[in-house]
Amino acid sequence: MEDIAVTGAGLLLGGLRTSHVRAHIAANQEKTEKSAISEEFLHSYQKEVARKIAREDRSILTNAAAQCLITAMDAFDMAEAATSIAPDVREAFGVFTSAERDREFPVDLWRLVHHQEWDEPPTVETVIARYGELRERIHPLGLFKKLPTNPLYHLSKYFQCRGGGYPVQRMSLGGLCILEEASAKIGNRSMAGAILSAYGNMASLDNILAFEKMGLIRNKGSQDGIVPAAGSASVVLEPVDQIEARGGTCLAKIQRVRTSYNGLMHAGEREWLRFYDSHFSDVAGTEPVVILYDNGNLAAGEQERSAIERFFGRTTQVSYKKLTGYTGQANNLIDLVFALADPAVPAGRPILLNGIGSSAGMGAMMFEKCISSLPVPSTGEAEE
């Protein structure tokens, strides 16, 4: 594969922005309760983005697209800190997204039915009678908000990246899938580079209801289960020779990205060992630093750790979801941004980043950092 590197990274996780990640890691405060971006911060971020995009695009700007745009802006600012990417080169950049889709209307309907004080259990007829309250929320342009291409459209238009790409829906494996896709495209020179962006919201009402029903959300006082969170992360990828030619900075060099489909809800030790043997047999026993998937499910986390120790030997293992919570589709890119920002993850040493998607498969990326920590962007960011 052509030498490919990360040149920029951005993150938005609640009120946490890219420049705060290193301090957040140093504070080492485990997240124990679900968190989502506050309405105040969400409104301020959407206003920040709305001022920068075309007027005709504001009416179809979703929460997911706004957060992807903010993190992509940070990533491009970082990538172009030393020298800018030429317009004709940027035009040949691809765009890949893994973003949770806008599902506001079903949420409104659920609230209408369940959060009303009914004299008796509602019938279909009584719900339909109240249905008119929702009609004002429906607008013809609302269709464009629900398309899986919505964040990709905004990213492509704002950054003038027209080299191709597509949205990927592979659950919480999506970040590694788009890293694999983009690396392949850049590697065969069909793209000059790529912007990758992911958004996930496990703190949304529908996700909370579903995961509570499955018994997968952590209860107060327990150490088992996911801690729901919402956020976005973006990275810029470029071929190394192009970075060197323009005088840019490599943050990390990608050595290998592999994903593999399986239909299991959770991967056990056997599945991990089979995956590693198929795609990483040449690095068995090499003791890399491992960024764990470890989403909070204790049994699955133990299986992942056991497989790592059996296959790679005595490794240094890091779990960032203890600090971030679990966002779902954005988790792989968030883990990558945290690893790049973490001074305790050394430069020049092989790093393996794991990922799983329920009924979607598993994956891993091998890379090496070129810097000890991310440079702090010179943007006026506010932390919640």
Side-chain angles (χ1 to χ4, degrees):
M1 183 177 75
E2 182 87 23
D3 287 340
I4 298 165
V6 179
T7 55
L11 178 132
L12 177 60
L13 189 68
L16 187 73
R17 294 288 295 270
T18 311
S19 60
H20 308 127
V21 174
R22 194 188 315 175
H24 188 75
I25 294 169
N28 195 32
Q29 293 183 345
E30 289 196 17
K31 190 174 287 294
T32 58
E33 296 181 352
K34 73 173 183 179
S35 63
I37 188 169
S38 70
E39 290 296 323
E40 177 186 356
F41 272 78
L42 180 59
H43 183 63
S44 68
Y45 294 146
Q46 288 179 331
K47 283 179 63 178
E48 175 186 338
V49 171
R51 286 195 298 267
K52 298 178 180 180
I53 64 176
R55 182 182 297 272
E56 65 269 18
D57 294 329
R58 295 171 192 169
S59 61
I60 59 171
L61 180 68
T62 63
N63 176 26
Q67 294 199 40
C68 287
L69 279 166
I70 287 172
T71 58
M73 288 173 189
D74 281 356
F76 266 116
D77 284 346
M78 195 178 293
E80 298 184 305
T83 59
S84 61
I85 299 168
D88 60 324
V89 175
R90 185 186 286 213
E91 191 169 6
F93 268 46
V95 181
F96 294 89
T97 59
S98 175
E100 194 155 348
R101 294 168 65 180
D102 191 323
R103 297 192 294 269
E104 293 170 357
F105 182 78
V107 170
D108 288 332
L109 181 59
W110 190 93
R111 285 176 176 148
L112 175 65
V113 175
H114 293 274
H115 287 190
Q116 299 293 325
E117 293 184 4
W118 302 94
D119 294 332
E120 56 187 37
T123 64
V124 173
E125 289 77 12
T126 55
V127 172
I128 290 175
R130 302 291 299 276
Y131 196 74
E133 295 179 20
L134 298 179
R135 292 189 64 186
E136 63 185 30
R137 301 176 185 269
I138 305 171
H139 189 279
L141 289 177
L143 169 65
F144 294 99
K145 290 186 174 183
K146 301 184 187 302
L147 295 174
T149 52
N150 184 279
L152 186 144
Y153 163 79
H154 287 287
L155 290 165
S156 176
K157 185 170 182 181
Y158 181 81
F159 293 107
Q160 299 293 295
C161 298
R162 302 189 177 95
Y166 31 82
V168 171
Q169 295 291 325
R170 288 283 297 278
M171 307 291 281
S172 53
L173 188 63
L176 280 170
C177 289
I178 59 178
L179 281 161
E180 184 179 36
E181 292 289 324
S183 296
K185 295 287 187 182
I186 297 168
N188 65 24
R189 293 293 182 174
S190 59
M191 290 178 178
I195 175 71
L196 282 60
S197 195
Y199 165 79
N201 184 6
M202 289 302 297
S204 67
L205 176 62
D206 46 358
N207 279 332
I208 291 289
L209 290 172
F211 276 69
E212 279 182 343
K213 193 173 185 66
M214 292 186 287
L216 297 176
I217 290 182
R218 185 175 304 181
N219 295 317
K220 195 169 184 178
S222 172
Q223 294 297 310
D224 190 15
I226 69 167
V227 178
S232 174
S234 296
V235 294
V236 175
L237 302 186
E238 299 180 69
V240 171
D241 59 352
Q242 178 177 294
I243 300 165
E244 294 172 345
R246 71 175 181 86
T249 301
C250 293
L251 305 179
K253 292 183 179 179
I254 297 175
Q255 298 170 331
R256 189 181 318 175
V257 193
R258 297 289 186 272
T259 63
S260 177
Y261 172 78
N262 70 51
L264 300 175
M265 281 291 290
H266 304 288
E269 181 179 354
R270 182 176 62 180
E271 287 74 37
W272 277 115
L273 289 171
R274 185 181 300 146
F275 172 78
Y276 290 146
D277 191 54
S278 296
H279 302 289
F280 293 90
S281 59
D282 57 319
V283 292
T286 56
E287 303 182 356
V289 175
V290 181
I291 312 301
L292 299 166
Y293 170 70
D294 186 21
N295 72 348
N297 182 300
L298 287 180
E302 290 171 3
Q303 295 280 310
E304 181 184 4
R305 288 183 174 87
S306 178
I308 290 165
E309 290 171 3
R310 284 186 59 184
F311 193 86
F312 293 106
R314 296 169 60 86
T315 61
T316 300
Q317 299 178 8
V318 184
S319 179
Y320 291 119
K321 294 179 186 67
K322 294 178 180 178
L323 308 178
T324 65
Y326 180 59
T327 60
Q329 290 202 47
N331 85 97
N332 301 146
L333 293 193
I334 288 174
D335 279 349
L336 176 56
V337 175
F338 265 70
L340 293 174
D342 191 350
V345 176
R349 182 175 171 184
I351 304 164
L352 187 79
L353 189 153
N354 276 347
I356 301 173
S358 294
S359 303
M362 56 206 311
M365 177 174 77
M366 186 77 77
F367 65 102
E368 284 189 9
K369 289 171 60 174
C370 304
I371 40 87
S372 62
S373 183
L374 287 179
V376 177
S378 57
T379 56
E381 300 173 357
E383 187 168 5
E384 191 173 27

